[in-house]
Amino acid sequence: MFPALETELKQETLPDPYEDFMYHHLQYYGYFKAQRGSLPNSATHQHVWKNKPPYLVSGSFGEREDVIPDPLQKEKLLYSLMLRSPLKSRQLLHDKFGEVKPCLQEPRDLFAFFSSSGPLQAPRWPIECEVIKESLCHIEWVPPQPEYFYQPTGNEKLPEIVGEEKGTVVYQLDSVPTEGSYFTSARVGGKRGIIRELAVTLQGPEDNTLLFESRFESGNLQKAVRVDTYEYELTLRTDLYTNKHTQWFYFRVQNTRKDVTYRFTIVNLLKPKSLYTIGMKPLMYSQLDADTHNIGWRREGKEIRYFKNNTEDGQQTFYCLTWTIQFPHDQDTCFFAHFYPYTYTDLQCYLLSVANNPVQSQFCKLRTLCRSLAGNTVYLLTITNPSRTPQEAAAKKAVVLSARVHPGESNGSWIMKGFLDFILSNSPDAQLLRDIFIFKVVPMLNPDGVIVGNYRCSLAGRDLNRHYKTILKESFPCIWYTRNMIKRLLQEREVLLYCDFHGHSRKNNIFLYGCNSNDRKYWLHERIFPLMLSKNAPDKFSFQSCNFKVQKCKEGTGRVVMWRMGILNSYTMESTFGGSTLGNKRDTHFTTEDLKSLGYHVCDTLLDFCDPDRTKFMQCLAELKELLQKEIYKKFNELGQDMDLEGSWSDISLSDIESSTSGSDSSLSDGLPVHLLNIAHEVNQKKKMHKKKKKKPLQTRKQRNEQYQKNNLMRELKLTEDILERAGFASTLQKQPTFFRNSENASSSTMRNEKPRLNELHGRDKGSSLDPSKMTSLILTKHKERMQTEKPGFTVSCSPKRSTNPSQEPVPDMKPSWSRNRFPATKRGRAAMTVYPSLHIYTYP
C-alpha cells in the first residue's frame, strides 16, 4: 500500500478520493515525485484541487517510481475510499439509494441543446432573405368527417392569364437569389436592416385588397397580381439558387371578406401531371376559427382545375392551378398550403419535449449529426433500451429512418412524428422494439430547405437525394454525415432496415420503392416487409403501387446507395399529398392523423417481420411467388408469347417485368453544387487569362541553338532585303529563283560552287533530312564573308537600270554567284537582254 495512504489511515483522516486518485495516477506514470508529507490532507486542506492541482503544490516531473507493490489492493482501497467519502466527480453514477456505481455516465453533448428554461435555437437564413419577426403557430386538428376529393362538374371556368401588364402587383419579393447566384453565408433573421412592408397600403376600411405575406418559415410566394376585384394571379418562388421546382406553396392572406367568392390562380407550376387533376384540394387555415372554435387546417376549394398555360414558342412550359373559395370571416387572417406544414421550429419544439421528459430521455439520446450549410443543426436520435450485458447490446440489430431530404414533402415529417410518438411511448410493443433494436433516426435531413420554403433542393441548389455517393462533405454535409454514420453502424452490427420518408405529387395512397435482390438465397425477401405493411394498413398502403426496379437515374438516391452498402431492406416510402383510393378511406384526403398512424404501422410491421414464429413470413413469401407468377403470365400474354410457368420461371429478371418508377426525375438537379459551378467558371476564366500572359516554357539547349540560328537567319535576310531595296531592285527572297536563258552558265557555275557546301551539310547530318533553314543560313553566311573581302568602290549590280558609268571595266575574278559585271547600254529603242545575277535559295522537300 502507499506510505502516504497508510499515514492517513493511521490518523483516521480520509483524503479526498478524487485528489487521491489523481495523485497516485500521476505518480504511477512518473509525472509526480513527492515526499510522504506533500500529499494534501483533505481534513486540513479543503478544496485544494479547485485552486491548484496537487502536482503543482510540490514536487517535480520525473521518472516513474515503483511504489505500488499490489495494484489490486490499491484499487480496492481507492474504491473503499470513494464509498466512504463525499465525491466531487459529476460523472459517477448513483442509484436511487445513493449508492455509487463503479462506472461513468455518458459524456456531455458536443453542442449545447435545449434547456427547459432557455429558448429554442433560432433558424438561420441566407443573408439575402428577408424574414418577418412574427412567429407563426398552427394547431393540430383532425376533421370530424372525411374530406372527400373534389368531383369535377365539367363547368369549371378556365381563367385567362393576363399578368401584371393588365393587373396590379400587390405583393412581390425582390431580394430572392435565383439561378446564377449561390449561397455564401447565413445568419439568424436573414437579411440585415429594416424589414420592408411588401404588401400594398390600404386606402381605408372600404379597401378590400388582400394583403399577402410569405416571408416566414417554410413560406413560398414570389408575387401576387390583382387582375380583378376578387381575383389574383400568384407566382411561386423557385428553389433558392435555381430556376426549377415550383410545387410547394404556403402563404398568408389578410383583410378578407366573408361570403365573397375569391379566385386564386398559381401560374408557374412545372409538373405536367398533378393530383389536382383527380380531386385533390388545397389546404386552408383560418386564424379566427383556430382561436374561437379550435379548428385547424382543412381542405377547401371549388372549381379546381389544373391546366397548361399558353406560352409562346421557345419559352418554358408552365402549368396553372386555379380554385375558388369563400372565407369564413371578415377581417380574418388565413393561410393556404400545398400540404400540412411542418417546420424546423415544429421539430425543435417536439425534440425539446422529449429532452425534458424524464422517462423518454432515458432511452432517447439526442445528438448533433452535423451542421447544415447555413449552420442549422441536423439532429440524430438514438432510441433503444439500456442493455443488461455487453453481449446483449452487441446482439441488437439496427433500424435507420430519415425524413425531409426533400423539404417540400412535409408528409414525411408527419409519418416520422407518428413513428416517434409510438416508439417513445410506454406501450409493450414499443418497449419490446426498444429491447431488440437500436433505432437511428434523422428526422429532418434538409433543415435549410425546410426553413426557406424550398420544394426539393438544399442551399447548394441541388437535390440531396441524388448525392448520397458524394465526396463533397462541405457542399452536402447532411448527406455525407448520414451515409458515414450508417457506414460505421454497418461495421458494428447488422442494419435490418433503412427507410427514407418522402411525399408523392402524382399518385394516391402510400407505397414503397425498394431494390430487387440479386442473391437467390434472399429472392423476393425485399418484398415481404411492404406486403406485411399493406396487410396492417389496408386502407392506406398499396402494395400494387410498390416498385423494386433499380434505375440508373436513381443510383444516387439513399435507397440504392444503402442497398449497395449491404442493407437488403432499403426503401423509400412515398406518401401521397392527396389521399386514399383503398378500403374505408376510398376517395378521401389523408389527414395528419392518417399519416401518423402509418408511423405506428411501421413499428407493428417490424414486429411481424422479426417474429421468431416464421409463419407470417413464409405465408407472405408464398403469396409473393404466386403474385409473381401471375405477373409473368400477364407480361408474356401482352407480348403474345407462351411460357411454361412450371419451369425455371424464378430465373427471370424481376426488373424485366416491372415498369420504371414514376417518381420525380431530378437529373437536372444533379451535378456539382451551384457555388462550385461558379467557382469552376471563374477558375476557367483565370486559366484563359493566365495562358495569354504565360511565357513560353524553358527550352532545351538544342532548341535554344535552333532558335538562335533562326534569329540570325532572319536578321541576315532583313539586312539583304535592305541592301536590295537601296539598290532599287525588288526583293526576290519571297519569290522562287528565276533563271534566265542567258544565265545558264552562271547558274551551273553557282551550283558547282555550292556542291562542296552541300557535301559538308550531308556529312554533318548523315541519315537525316536536310533542314532548309540551315541550308539557307549557310549560303548567306558564305555570301557575307565574300562581301567583306570585296574591294571598295564596287557596287552590287542587281538592278535592271543601266550603268551610269559605262567606261568602267568589269572585274574579271569575281565569282559568278554574285556577278558585278556591268554591261554597256544597247542602242536606244532596242530591248536590253541583260543577264542579272540571281539569289539562289535552295529549298528541299
Side-chain angles (χ1 to χ4, degrees):
M1 297 180 67
F2 291 94
L5 291 179
E6 290 178 356
T7 303
E8 289 189 357
L9 288 176
K10 289 178 182 178
Q11 296 175 356
E12 296 183 354
T13 303
L14 293 175
D16 184 283
Y18 189 76
E19 296 174 1
D20 188 72
F21 169 75
M22 288 301 301
Y23 166 76
H24 288 98
H25 175 78
L26 294 170
Q27 190 178 48
Y28 178 80
Y29 286 100
Y31 293 117
F32 176 53
K33 294 174 65 178
Q35 301 300 322
R36 179 178 301 182
S38 64
L39 182 67
N41 190 328
S42 58
T44 59
H45 299 78
Q46 296 296 327
H47 307 294
V48 173
W49 180 254
K50 291 184 179 179
N51 299 322
K52 187 179 293 186
Y55 57 83
L56 294 179
V57 176
S58 146
S60 60
F61 296 104
E63 297 179 358
R64 170 182 170 181
E65 292 182 320
D66 296 325
V67 295
I68 307 176
D70 190 350
L72 183 60
Q73 292 182 3
K74 167 215 158 189
E75 291 180 4
K76 290 181 179 179
L77 176 62
L78 291 177
Y79 182 60
S80 64
L81 292 175
M82 286 193 300
L83 295 179
R84 297 168 58 186
S85 304
L87 295 172
K88 290 185 179 180
S89 174
R90 297 183 179 180
Q91 282 190 288
L92 292 172
L93 296 181
H94 298 257
D95 60 16
K96 60 184 178 180
F97 302 106
E99 296 292 334
V100 179
K101 297 181 179 179
C103 60
L104 299 178
Q105 63 184 357
E106 292 188 16
R108 296 175 181 176
D109 298 332
L110 295 179
F111 298 95
F113 284 114
F114 312 111
S115 64
S116 56
S117 58
L120 298 176
Q121 296 181 17
R124 296 174 60 86
W125 295 71
I127 57 174
E128 303 95 335
C129 297
E130 291 185 345
V131 186
I132 61 174
K133 303 301 182 183
E134 302 174 51
S135 59
L136 305 180
C137 183
H138 302 309
I139 64 171
E140 287 188 40
W141 176 72
V142 179
Q145 300 297 327
E147 296 178 308
Y148 287 93
F149 293 158
Y150 174 73
Q151 300 298 325
T153 61
N155 298 323
E156 288 81 9
K157 177 184 175 182
L158 193 66
E160 180 185 0
I161 308 302
V162 299
E164 57 185 278
E165 291 80 9
K166 298 182 181 180
T168 304
V169 177
V170 296
Y171 177 82
Q172 183 169 8
L173 288 179
D174 296 325
S175 59
V176 177
T178 56
E179 188 183 24
S181 58
Y182 55 90
F183 172 76
T184 55
S185 60
R187 63 182 296 271
V188 174
K191 189 175 183 179
R192 296 179 184 273
I194 300 174
I195 304 301
R196 299 172 300 159
E197 185 62 45
L198 297 184
V200 296
T201 303
L202 298 179
Q203 302 302 316
E206 301 300 324
D207 191 345
N208 56 8
T209 304
L210 290 179
L211 304 178
F212 290 84
E213 185 58 82
S214 66
R215 293 172 296 172
F216 46 79
E217 200 172 345
S218 296
N220 188 324
L221 180 66
Q222 172 76 36
K223 182 171 62 175
V225 179
R226 188 182 189 185
V227 297
D228 204 348
T229 306
Y230 300 108
E231 187 171 346
Y232 295 86
E233 291 180 1
L234 311 177
T235 301
L236 303 183
R237 174 185 54 74
T238 59
D239 284 5
L240 293 190
Y241 313 109
T242 75
N243 62 350
K244 300 179 289 292
H245 310 303
T246 52
Q247 183 74 25
W248 168 261
F249 60 88
Y250 176 32
F251 58 90
R252 183 184 73 186
V253 293
Q254 294 176 308
N255 194 37
T256 62
R257 297 293 186 269
K258 184 181 177 181
D259 299 330
V260 174
T261 300
Y262 288 84
R263 176 177 291 276
F264 298 99
T265 304
I266 299 175
V267 298
N268 67 328
L269 298 171
L270 292 174
K271 292 191 176 183
K273 296 181 181 179
S274 174
L275 288 169
Y276 289 109
T277 61
I278 53 177
M280 177 175 159
K281 294 181 180 181
L283 281 162
M284 191 199 75
Y285 184 95
S286 168
Q287 194 65 54
L288 285 177
D289 279 344
D291 296 338
T292 57
H293 306 292
N294 203 32
I295 297 175
W297 290 98
R298 57 183 185 262
R299 300 280 179 173
E300 291 288 351
K302 296 181 180 179
E303 299 186 44
I304 301 172
R305 288 200 63 175
Y306 192 89
F307 59 96
K308 184 177 179 180
N309 192 356
N310 294 324
T311 55
E312 299 178 2
D313 295 339
Q315 293 184 350
Q316 187 175 11
T317 301
F318 291 110
Y319 296 85
C320 300
L321 168 66
T322 185
W323 74 95
T324 62
I325 196 169
Q326 290 187 352
F327 292 109
H329 305 284
D330 286 327
Q331 301 297 328
D332 194 5
T333 296
C334 294
F335 296 84
F336 288 98
H338 182 57
F339 200 73
Y340 300 96
Y342 192 94
T343 65
Y344 184 64
T345 300
D346 292 334
L347 173 67
Q348 291 198 102
C349 290
Y350 183 83
L351 296 181
L352 176 62
S353 66
V354 173
N356 290 334
N357 188 306
V359 177
Q360 294 179 346
S361 59
Q362 294 300 313
F363 48 78
C364 178
K365 303 302 179 183
L366 184 62
R367 297 289 184 268
T368 293
L369 176 67
C370 64
R371 301 284 187 180
S372 65
L373 279 180
N376 294 299
T377 303
V378 181
Y379 296 102
L380 172 65
L381 281 67
T382 302
I383 304 171
T384 189
N385 282 338
S387 303
R388 290 182 290 272
T389 63
Q391 293 77 14
E392 181 181 335
K396 289 184 176 182
K397 296 181 180 180
V399 174
V400 181
L401 302 175
S402 62
R404 296 302 285 278
V405 68
H406 292 153
E409 298 171 358
S410 58
N411 26 16
S413 284
W414 291 105
I415 296 177
M416 179 64 75
K417 187 175 187 299
F419 166 80
L420 292 175
D421 284 344
F422 179 77
I423 201 66
L424 297 176
S425 68
N426 57 0
S427 165
D429 286 347
Q431 295 180 19
L432 178 59
L433 284 170
R434 297 196 300 266
D435 285 337
I436 61 179
F437 289 114
I438 295 177
F439 292 92
K440 295 286 187 178
V441 180
V442 186
M444 192 169 285
L445 274 167
N446 190 356
D448 295 347
V450 173
I451 289 169
V452 302
N454 279 3
Y455 174 60
R456 200 166 187 86
C457 297
S458 70
L459 294 184
R462 292 292 179 262
D463 182 351
L464 294 182
N465 200 36
R466 297 296 183 272
H467 289 85
Y468 271 89
K469 296 192 294 184
T470 186
I471 60 173
L472 302 175
K473 178 172 65 172
E474 289 77 14
S475 300
F476 307 108
C478 313
I479 296 305
W480 191 92
Y481 280 99
T482 299
R483 185 192 63 192
N484 199 46
M485 178 268 293
I486 296 174
K487 187 182 296 184
R488 292 199 311 268
L489 191 62
L490 282 168
Q491 296 172 355
E492 299 173 1
R493 63 189 76 249
E494 177 187 350
V495 178
L496 179 71
L497 181 137
Y498 165 86
C499 191
D500 191 21
F501 298 151
H502 285 249
H504 206 282
S505 64
R506 289 176 287 176
K507 293 171 67 175
N508 279 312
N509 307 313
I510 303 173
F511 47 93
L512 287 173
Y513 290 145
C515 303
N516 285 319
S517 175
N518 298 323
D519 191 345
R520 308 307 300 176
K521 179 182 177 181
Y522 301 105
W523 188 61
L524 298 179
H525 283 201
E526 73 280 352
R527 303 176 183 229
I528 294 177
F529 183 85
L531 183 60
M532 286 183 172
L533 188 55
S534 69
K535 296 180 180 298
N536 290 330
D539 55 350
K540 305 181 189 71
F541 191 90
S542 171
F543 181 76
Q544 298 300 322
S545 298
C546 296
N547 197 294
F548 301 88
K549 188 172 184 177
V550 178
Q551 299 172 255
K552 186 176 181 179
C553 64
K554 304 297 176 68
E555 283 289 336
T557 61
R559 161 178 63 101
V560 177
V561 170
M562 301 310 161
W563 172 65
R564 296 201 183 280
M565 285 170 57
I567 304 176
L568 176 65
N569 302 292
S570 180
Y571 305 107
T572 296
M573 179 174 286
E574 299 280 356
S575 55
T576 181
F577 287 108
S580 174
T581 61
L582 306 170
N584 298 329
K585 291 189 172 295
R586 184 180 181 87
D587 296 334
T588 61
H589 290 90
F590 280 149
T591 64
T592 57
E593 198 63 32
D594 292 327
L595 297 178
K596 289 195 294 183
S597 69
L598 195 79
Y600 156 74
H601 289 305
V602 169
C603 296
D604 191 29
T605 305
L606 265 175
L607 288 175
D608 292 337
F609 189 71
C610 300
D611 194 340
D613 182 3
R614 307 298 284 170
T615 303
K616 291 182 180 179
F617 188 94
M618 299 310 296
Q619 285 179 353
C620 289
L621 186 59
E623 185 176 343
L624 285 170
K625 292 180 179 179
E626 184 179 350
L627 289 173
L628 184 60
Q629 284 185 341
K630 293 180 180 179
E631 191 67 27
I632 294 174
Y633 184 78
K634 179 181 176 181
K635 193 73 173 181
F636 274 83
N637 277 346
E638 292 175 357
L639 298 175
Q641 300 177 7
D642 295 330
M643 181 182 179
D644 182 15
L645 294 182
E646 300 299 327
S648 58
W649 61 273
S650 61
D651 294 333
I652 298 176
S653 175
L654 298 179
S655 299
D656 294 338
I657 62 174
E658 281 189 310
S659 59
S660 300
T661 60
S662 58
S664 299
D665 182 10
S666 294
S667 58
L668 293 176
S669 296
D670 204 350
L672 288 174
V674 290
H675 69 282
L676 290 186
L677 288 178
N678 283 273
I679 293 174
H681 177 71
E682 293 175 2
V683 169
N684 290 334
Q685 293 297 326
K686 290 181 179 179
K687 282 184 177 179
K688 291 180 180 179
M689 296 177 63
H690 183 66
K691 284 182 179 179
K692 294 179 181 178
K693 300 178 180 179
K694 188 176 179 181
K695 296 182 178 179
K696 294 181 179 179
L698 295 176
Q699 296 177 331
T700 63
R701 178 176 294 180
K702 181 179 179 181
Q703 291 174 332
R704 293 197 301 270
N705 289 340
E706 291 177 353
Q707 184 67 30
Y708 178 76
Q709 294 175 3
K710 182 179 178 182
N711 293 339
N712 284 341
L713 174 62
M714 296 303 296
R715 284 195 297 270
E716 291 177 359
L717 289 176
K718 180 67 175 174
L719 178 63
T720 306
E721 286 182 356
D722 293 342
I723 294 173
L724 294 177
E725 287 177 0
R726 285 196 299 271
F729 184 73
S731 174
T732 60
L733 296 177
Q734 297 178 356
K735 301 178 181 179
Q736 293 295 331
T738 306
F739 298 92
F740 298 98
R741 295 178 180 178
N742 296 343
S743 63
E744 292 179 358
N745 295 334
S747 298
S748 59
S749 175
T750 303
M751 288 297 294
R752 283 194 300 270
N753 282 279
E754 295 297 338
K755 280 182 180 179
R757 302 172 201 160
L758 293 177
N759 292 335
E760 288 180 12
L761 289 173
H762 283 290
R764 293 174 186 172
D765 300 321
K766 289 183 179 180
S768 63
S769 60
L770 195 60
D771 189 354
S773 64
K774 293 181 180 180
M775 185 65 191
T776 306
S777 176
L778 181 61
I779 294 172
L780 291 177
T781 303
K782 296 297 182 181
H783 163 63
K784 185 177 181 181
E785 293 173 359
R786 290 195 300 270
M787 289 285 290
Q788 293 175 354
T789 59
E790 288 180 313
K791 295 181 180 181
F794 286 90
T795 59
V796 180
S797 178
C798 297
S799 174
K801 296 180 181 179
R802 295 177 181 178
S803 176
T804 58
N805 189 3
S807 63
Q808 192 173 0
E809 293 295 328
V811 180
D813 0 302
M814 285 301 296
K815 295 185 179 179
S817 60
W818 282 91
S819 176
R820 289 162 178 79
N821 296 331
R822 291 193 299 272
F823 299 89
T826 57
K827 295 180 180 180
R828 292 183 182 276
R830 188 174 168 182
M833 293 299 293
T834 309
V835 179
Y836 300 105
S838 301
L839 177 62
H840 301 290
I841 299 178
Y842 298 101
T843 58
Y844 296 86

